[in-house]
Amino acid sequence: MSPRVLIVDDEKNIRRMLSIVLESEGYLVRDVGSAEDALSMLADSPADLVLLDVGLPGMGSLEALKQMKEGARDVA
């Protein structure tokens, strides 16, 4: 099974570029434009790696990271 990567960035072109590169290397890539969408997606389907933009609008990246870590702990 290929590693699953979630890209979280508010800039669509950055998400697209990273997706193209990672998919060409065999990764399964999903992308979203906000921390809130990332948390929702991770609740349904975990990722092996999350690339998280530091400067997201809305929920801050550090708060999102904290919630991701708490969610991962709940799954383990």
Side-chain angles (χ1 to χ4, degrees):
M1 181 176 199
S2 297
R4 299 161 297 185
V5 177
L6 175 60
I7 300 168
V8 186
D9 199 301
D10 57 321
E11 294 189 38
K12 186 176 183 176
N13 288 335
I14 291 175
R15 294 194 318 262
R16 186 177 312 152
M17 179 193 65
L18 289 170
S19 293
I20 290 169
V21 171
L22 292 168
E23 287 172 349
S24 73
E25 294 296 325
Y27 293 92
L28 297 175
V29 179
R30 297 174 294 160
D31 67 271
V32 295
S34 71
E36 294 86 354
D37 289 343
L39 292 169
S40 177
M41 185 171 283
L42 289 170
D44 294 333
S45 178
D48 298 304
L49 173 68
V50 177
L51 299 177
L52 181 62
D53 183 13
V54 174
L56 291 171
M59 179 188 293
S61 300
L62 293 177
E63 177 60 28
L65 180 59
K66 178 182 173 187
Q67 290 188 31
M68 287 177 196
K69 287 173 68 174
E70 289 171 357
R73 209 170 318 147
D74 293 341
V75 172

